[in-house]
């Protein structure tokens, strides 16, 4: 979940909270599976004994990042030199992963070749990438080598990869004899990490009564899944309304995409809808959109939106806006004001 | 002559000279300690010079909880979630201890926690959270950014 470093986001019209037992205190909105069970990050006190996480052994760093996407791997590699070095094998793995996908689907000017795909994925898996492990497992499964597939899924699952956990669980369910108890254990983990298919599969297992005595509180799982369905319904309504031109719905749709609540997690869609709402005069959206532009380095555009937000009463926007304005020349500042003065909201339904 | 279910006590000493006594069943949640017990090296106090008292107490608390048969699965889940509500200094200590002592469930959880703290963040944000100094020169940083850029466009 993206954490902001500047004043917290506005709530707008968010979902009302359902009763959901949670370890720490309250959140404004439902704890979605993507919100995870982990508590919020504490402010760090300075560590005086010189031990910090840059001094972690390389294999530990590699384990932590085993299930990372490329974007997260890149960010982690840029944190400090020792992490960069520790994550070198994983970056190599990403290259193999990419080649594997090319061979599997036959694009990037390459003819589809399942054997070469498998070979590439296995090389990626050998360097510790759970994504490659899962993809290799899928090919093994297709080719009928189920035990090899399961071994790979197990490796990925142990490293915390939700897709690996989900696939492992499904292989337990389909196994002969089937092992629903183990399956549910892994489905639960994947569900908590926000894996949609795992959540669906878990719901199915419970519904079919395949799991009778397991250690997991069924009520908790049902509530978790109810939340998920509530999100889905709510998000669908918002999306419909947004497409019909309802301003507040556009803003909420953006948040849904941003948090992956009820809609697939999509940074691109989140940005698109936030911009739409901003261009039609939603003041909070103007603030958020301005912040996003700022973090992308689009200073001029950012400050125009922040100025609009400030004029519409978003006090938090003023602070950031002033920080950026100080960095601009007076000509640029004048231009910004000129653009803000001449801005007109695009039409919306309400 | 020894009974298979021993009530044997294992004695541990942390880096700051605190001693802990736990039942063998609790101690062997740690693979490292289990190996020592199996090899017969656990009769005297085992020194753990790279784990301080505070962290060792936490780890042993975890082990005890996981051996306790009266704890329900639901309680255990809640315990594990609360357990990981730590600040960075403790997190580091815990990570190193779990890695060294090889307490499987704990290590996985801590690694996952750290991973979750990293995901979705930019490098500067990650550094801030974990209090890590940026030791790249601007040129080195650029080099790393470019290193993979051509491969991934």
């Amino acid at each position: 979940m993206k954490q902001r470093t500047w004043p917290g986001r506005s709530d707008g019209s968010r979902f009302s909270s359902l009763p959901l037992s949670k370890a720490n205190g309250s959140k404004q909105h439902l704890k979605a599976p993507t919100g995870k069970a982990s508590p919020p990050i504490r402010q760090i006190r300075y560590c005086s004994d010189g031990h910090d996480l840059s001094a972690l052994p390389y294999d530990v760093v590699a384990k932590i990042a085993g299930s990372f996407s490329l974007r997260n791997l890149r960010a982690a590699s840029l944190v400090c030199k020792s992490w960069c070095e520790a994550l070198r094998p994983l970056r190599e793995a990403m290259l193999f992963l990419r080649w594997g996908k090319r061979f599997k689907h036959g694009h990037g000017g390459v003819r589809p070749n399942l054997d070469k795909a498998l070979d590439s994925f296995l090389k990626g898996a050998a360097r510790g990438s759970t994504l490659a492990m899962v993809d290799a497992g899928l090919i093994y499964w297709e080719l009928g080598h189920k035990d090899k597939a399961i071994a790979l899924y197990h490796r990925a699952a142990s490293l915390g990869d939700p897709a690996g956990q989900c696939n492992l669980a499904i292989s337990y369910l389909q196994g002969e004899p089937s092992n629903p108890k183990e399956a549910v254990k892994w489905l639960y983990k994947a569900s908590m990490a926000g894996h949609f298919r795992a959540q669906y599969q878990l719901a199915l297992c419970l519904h079919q009564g395949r799991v009778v005595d397991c250690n997991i509180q069924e009520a908790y799982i049902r509530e978790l899944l109810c939340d998920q369905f509530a999100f889905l319904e709510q998000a669908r309504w918002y999306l419909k309304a947004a497409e019909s031109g309802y301003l507040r719905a556009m803003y909420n749709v953006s948040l849904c995409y941003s948090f992956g609540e009820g809609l697939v997690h999509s940074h691109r869609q989140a940005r698109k809808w936030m911009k739409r709402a901003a261009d039609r005069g939603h003041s909070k959206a103007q603030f958020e959109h301005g912040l996003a532009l700022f973090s992308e380095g689009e200073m001029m555009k950012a400050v125009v939106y922040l100025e609009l937000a400030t004029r519409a009463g978003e006090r938090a926007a003023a602070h950031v806006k002033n920080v950026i304005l100080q960095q601009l020349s007076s000509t640029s500042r004048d231009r910004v004001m000129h653009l803000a003065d001449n801005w007109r909201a695009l039409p919306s339904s309400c | 002559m020894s009974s298979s279910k021993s009530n044997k006590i294992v004695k541990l000493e942390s880096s700051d000279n605190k001693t802990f006594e736990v039942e063998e069943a609790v101690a062997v949640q740690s693979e490292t300690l289990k190996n020592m017990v199996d090899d017969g090296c656990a009769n005297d106090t085992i020194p753990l010079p790279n784990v301080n008292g505070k962290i060792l107490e936490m780890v042993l608390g975890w082990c005890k909880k996981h051996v306790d048969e009266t704890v329900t699965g639901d309680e255990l889940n809640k315990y594990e979630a609360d357990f990981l509500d730590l600040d960075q200094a403790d997190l580091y200590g815990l990570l190193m201890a779990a890695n060294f002592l090889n307490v499987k469930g704990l290590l996985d959880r801590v690694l996952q926690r750290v991973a979750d703290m990293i995901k979705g963040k930019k490098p500067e944000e990650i550094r801030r959270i974990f209090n890590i100094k940026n030791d790249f020169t601007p040129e080195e940083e650029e080099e790393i950014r470019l290193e993979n850029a051509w491969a991934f466009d």
Side-chain angles (χ1 to χ4, degrees):
Chain A
M1 218 152 96
K2 257 194 140 49
Q3 300 262 340
R4 299 276 190 195
T5 52
W6 32 58
R9 59 159 63 253
S10 37
D11 296 317
S13 50
R14 291 293 275 146
F15 313 111
S16 58
S17 47
L18 290 181
L20 186 67
S21 63
K22 189 183 185 296
N24 328 349
S26 56
K27 263 195 177 167
Q28 288 282 355
H29 54 279
L30 291 164
K31 180 183 85 66
T34 47
K36 303 193 190 85
S38 57
I41 294 164
R42 292 239 199 118
Q43 248 338 94
I44 301 307
R45 70 153 202 267
Y46 187 73
C47 190
S48 56
D49 61 355
H51 282 147
D52 61 82
L53 276 86
S54 69
L56 284 174
Y58 283 11
D59 65 320
V60 175
V61 179
K63 266 193 214 164
I64 290 170
S67 64
F68 278 8
S69 64
L70 178 61
R71 163 177 278 158
N72 286 324
L73 187 61
R74 269 175 168 165
S77 299
L78 284 164
V79 167
C80 64
K81 282 185 182 174
S82 82
W83 282 26
C84 184
E85 210 32 55
L87 296 173
R88 188 175 296 280
L90 275 172
R91 291 198 297 279
E92 285 169 9
M94 285 295 175
L95 286 169
F96 286 113
L97 183 69
R98 197 181 196 227
W99 274 109
K101 287 188 195 282
R102 276 180 173 165
F103 280 123
K104 186 168 177 186
H105 304 289
H107 45 64
V110 151
R111 299 256 295 274
N113 184 326
L114 213 55
D115 287 322
K116 282 190 178 171
L118 179 60
D119 188 58
S120 296
F121 288 139
L122 286 173
K123 289 198 168 105
R127 281 158 180 76
S129 162
T130 61
L131 302 160
M133 287 172 206
V134 171
D135 280 336
L138 282 167
I139 296 186
Y140 270 137
W141 191 273
E142 262 178 69
L143 297 173
H145 303 299
K146 302 218 165 157
D147 44 354
K148 287 187 179 161
I150 290 172
L152 281 161
Y153 292 153
H154 203 281
R155 269 182 73 197
S158 307
L159 284 163
D161 184 302
Q165 290 165 344
C166 184
N167 289 357
L168 181 63
I170 291 172
S171 62
Y172 278 129
L173 288 173
Q174 293 180 358
E176 302 198 15
S178 88
N179 190 342
K181 205 165 169 181
E182 268 300 294
V184 163
K185 173 183 128 190
W186 290 109
L187 284 176
Y188 179 71
K189 286 197 169 132
S191 295
M192 291 302 284
H195 198 269
F196 281 111
R197 176 137 191 236
Q199 289 162 352
Y200 171 69
Q201 201 65 51
L202 186 56
L204 264 184
C205 282
L206 291 174
H207 180 73
Q208 291 166 354
R210 295 187 74 167
V211 196
V212 177
D213 32 46
C214 60
N215 249 347
I216 300 156
Q217 190 183 24
E218 276 189 33
Y220 182 76
I221 300 178
R222 281 189 218 280
E223 232 178 317
L224 185 78
L225 296 169
C226 273
D227 294 349
Q228 190 56 28
F229 292 131
F231 276 133
L232 281 168
E233 273 190 57
Q234 192 109 351
R236 281 205 198 106
W237 192 92
Y238 279 137
L239 196 52
K240 264 189 111 150
E243 281 163 358
S244 309
Y246 284 87
L247 199 49
R248 281 168 79 195
M250 290 182 198
Y251 174 73
N252 281 325
V253 163
S254 173
L255 295 180
C256 287
Y257 275 121
S258 177
F259 288 107
E261 287 172 354
L263 292 170
V264 68
H265 200 297
S266 169
H267 185 66
R268 202 166 63 89
Q269 289 293 330
R271 296 281 287 109
K272 174 181 119 180
W273 283 104
M274 196 58 85
K275 182 177 191 303
R276 279 197 187 165
D279 289 340
R280 283 157 183 78
H282 192 287
S283 59
K284 290 185 170 87
Q286 286 164 342
F287 177 30
E288 296 283 354
H289 186 55
L291 287 179
L293 286 167
F294 174 48
S295 71
E296 286 164 10
E298 299 267 15
M299 297 303 171
M300 286 294 288
K301 287 183 188 173
V303 82
V304 172
Y305 280 102
L306 291 170
E307 174 63 24
L308 292 170
T310 311
R311 290 183 188 186
E314 296 292 327
R315 297 223 302 272
H319 178 73
V320 185
K321 179 200 72 171
N322 290 329
V323 165
I324 311 174
L325 275 179
Q326 278 166 27
Q327 299 173 24
L328 297 177
S329 65
S330 65
T331 349
S332 298
R333 268 181 251 155
D334 291 341
R335 184 159 158 67
V336 164
M337 291 308 149
H338 177 75
L339 286 167
D341 290 338
N342 289 321
W343 179 83
R344 293 287 174 269
L346 291 172
S348 60
S349 299
C350 82
Chain B
M1 287 286 258
S2 54
S3 63
S4 54
K5 194 183 178 169
S6 66
N7 290 328
K8 210 175 156 223
I9 298 294
V10 173
K11 293 195 282 277
L12 306 163
E13 188 179 340
S14 67
S15 59
D16 45 353
N17 302 103
K18 296 203 176 93
T19 44
F20 296 84
E21 295 189 2
V22 289
E23 288 174 17
E24 191 178 286
V26 171
V28 299
Q29 299 283 300
S30 150
E31 282 290 321
T32 309
L33 294 178
K34 182 174 186 296
N35 292 336
M36 286 185 175
V37 167
D38 290 345
D39 293 345
C41 307
N43 298 315
D44 298 323
T45 307
I46 301 175
L48 299 171
N50 40 9
V51 186
N52 72 32
K54 181 182 179 193
I55 298 293
L56 186 54
E57 189 170 355
M58 287 172 72
V59 175
L60 293 173
W62 172 283
C63 295
K64 274 186 199 137
K65 202 81 176 180
H66 282 73
V67 152
D68 188 344
E69 281 162 18
T70 65
V71 173
T72 66
D74 180 52
E75 279 171 17
L76 203 55
N77 284 327
K78 187 177 188 310
Y79 174 81
E80 291 185 356
D82 290 340
F83 192 88
L84 292 166
D85 186 11
L86 298 168
D87 62 26
Q88 181 253 357
D90 286 343
L91 195 59
Y92 176 85
L94 190 60
L95 187 50
M96 297 307 283
N99 192 40
F100 170 69
L101 291 169
N102 201 353
V103 182
K104 179 117 199 345
L106 177 59
L107 182 58
D108 288 346
R109 281 301 205 124
V110 182
L111 291 177
Q112 196 57 48
R113 170 94 179 107
V114 176
D116 288 343
M117 287 163 87
I118 294 173
K119 281 183 193 173
K121 308 234 173 24
K122 300 205 172 85
E124 317 85 67
E125 292 172 294
I126 300 171
R127 279 185 219 120
R128 210 174 319 128
I129 290 171
F130 294 113
N131 200 26
I132 296 176
K133 193 169 169 301
N134 181 4
D135 55 357
F136 284 119
T137 64
E139 294 80 31
E140 285 169 338
E141 211 170 309
E142 194 55 30
E143 207 182 301
I144 301 295
R145 278 185 208 272
L146 291 172
E147 182 194 280
N148 297 319
W150 63 269
F152 292 105
D153 42 64

